[in-house]
Amino acid sequence: MVAMTMIARVADGLPLAASMQENQQNEQFGRNLTEYQTKAKQLFRKLNEQSPSRCTLEAGPMVFHYLIEKGVCYLVLCEAAFPKKLAFSYLDDLHTEFHELYHKKVATVSRPYSFIEFDTFIQKTKKSYVDSRARRNLTSINSELQDVQRIMVTNIEEVLQRGEALSALDTKASNLSSLSKKYRQDAKYLNMRSTYAKVAAVAVFSIMFILYVRFWWL
């Protein structure tokens, strides 16, 4: 189930459009959507140009997925069991339409939810992704969507409590990857040095043995 969709400007976190599930107190969410909405706004304020363009944030029984394109963040809150590929395909569809309609106005608006009328398109698109028959068709249509398994996954509570930007997490992940690669390279180099040392030792021993035999026994 898609419970909430929000769109915000990355530069300052200003909400541009939003769409909520009609029943905002549905017990299956574990907490009401107003709290999730608050966390989404906090997240928007932490995003910047260096933040990962696609990210998944776990939030108990729910999960946030977001997409950043051309200075705008498209975020959806859905059940953890909702297919990740469909969630990002849904966000791609929102980006395509929103950019077509409002890209010239995004940088100039100052009032929150200036494009609230976009909710009509959000509701229509969301329905197509929630309907089981449509979802089967979309799965086939979006079979070539990028590998969602490579998208960074973290916990939204940890991000908000630490006050750490997602860009910092992404940098740390990249640094760890670089360190791991360097470790593998160093280990390979040391192994090669060890092998060469053994070969050299054998060669020196062989030469010494030959010289010993030649001068002492002949």
Side-chain angles (χ1 to χ4, degrees):
M1 174 180 288
V2 175
M4 178 179 73
T5 302
M6 296 185 70
I7 301 173
R9 189 167 58 197
V10 173
D12 55 5
L14 180 72
L16 302 174
S19 179
M20 303 291 179
Q21 185 75 13
E22 291 183 1
N23 182 4
Q24 294 192 6
Q25 302 296 330
N26 196 319
E27 293 182 357
Q28 68 176 310
F29 298 149
R31 61 180 120 172
N32 73 49
L33 289 181
T34 301
E35 184 176 348
Y36 281 112
Q37 184 181 23
T38 298
K39 293 193 178 299
K41 291 179 180 179
Q42 293 173 344
L43 175 64
F44 288 146
R45 290 194 289 270
K46 292 182 178 296
L47 298 176
N48 55 48
E49 294 180 355
Q50 285 72 47
S51 298
S53 60
R54 294 173 185 258
C55 186
T56 293
L57 298 160
E58 298 170 340
M62 308 297 285
V63 62
F64 288 100
H65 300 289
Y66 81 69
L67 162 71
I68 296 178
E69 288 287 352
K70 302 186 185 303
V72 177
C73 180
Y74 304 85
L75 179 143
V76 62
L77 172 72
C78 53
E79 291 176 315
F82 190 80
K84 198 174 188 179
K85 177 179 287 190
L86 290 182
F88 280 99
S89 181
Y90 167 70
L91 294 176
D92 278 328
D93 285 352
L94 296 187
H95 155 64
T96 300
E97 183 69 12
F98 189 86
H99 182 72
E100 177 69 23
L101 293 174
Y102 306 117
H103 72 279
K104 294 181 179 179
K105 302 178 181 178
V106 168
T108 60
V109 297
S110 57
R111 179 172 55 87
Y113 304 106
S114 294
F115 310 116
I116 196 63
E117 70 276 5
F118 192 68
D119 176 56
T120 302
F121 180 82
I122 294 176
Q123 292 290 347
K124 181 179 68 175
T125 306
K126 180 170 65 176
K127 184 177 180 181
S128 71
Y129 277 85
V130 172
D131 180 78
S132 60
R133 288 173 298 179
R135 283 174 60 178
R136 284 196 296 270
N137 293 333
L138 288 166
T139 300
S140 174
I141 293 172
N142 294 284
S143 60
E144 296 182 0
L145 189 68
Q146 74 167 57
D147 183 4
V148 296
Q149 299 305 319
R150 297 183 180 179
I151 293 174
M152 190 178 82
V153 179
T154 188
N155 185 282
I156 192 167
E157 298 292 347
E158 293 179 0
V159 172
L160 297 181
Q161 288 175 9
R162 283 199 303 261
E164 188 170 22
L166 283 168
S167 55
L169 291 178
D170 195 42
T171 299
K172 287 182 178 180
S174 298
N175 289 342
L176 286 174
S177 178
S178 298
L179 287 173
S180 177
K181 183 178 180 181
K182 185 177 185 301
Y183 173 79
R184 290 194 300 270
Q185 291 175 340
D186 290 346
K188 184 177 179 181
Y189 173 70
L190 290 174
N191 286 335
M192 290 177 64
R193 285 191 59 181
S194 176
T195 300
Y196 291 150
K198 291 178 181 178
V199 171
V202 171
V204 170
F205 177 79
S206 299
I207 293 171
M208 294 295 293
F209 180 76
I210 292 172
L211 291 175
Y212 174 77
V213 171
R214 179 175 180 182
F215 290 103
W216 290 95
W217 295 96
L218 297 180

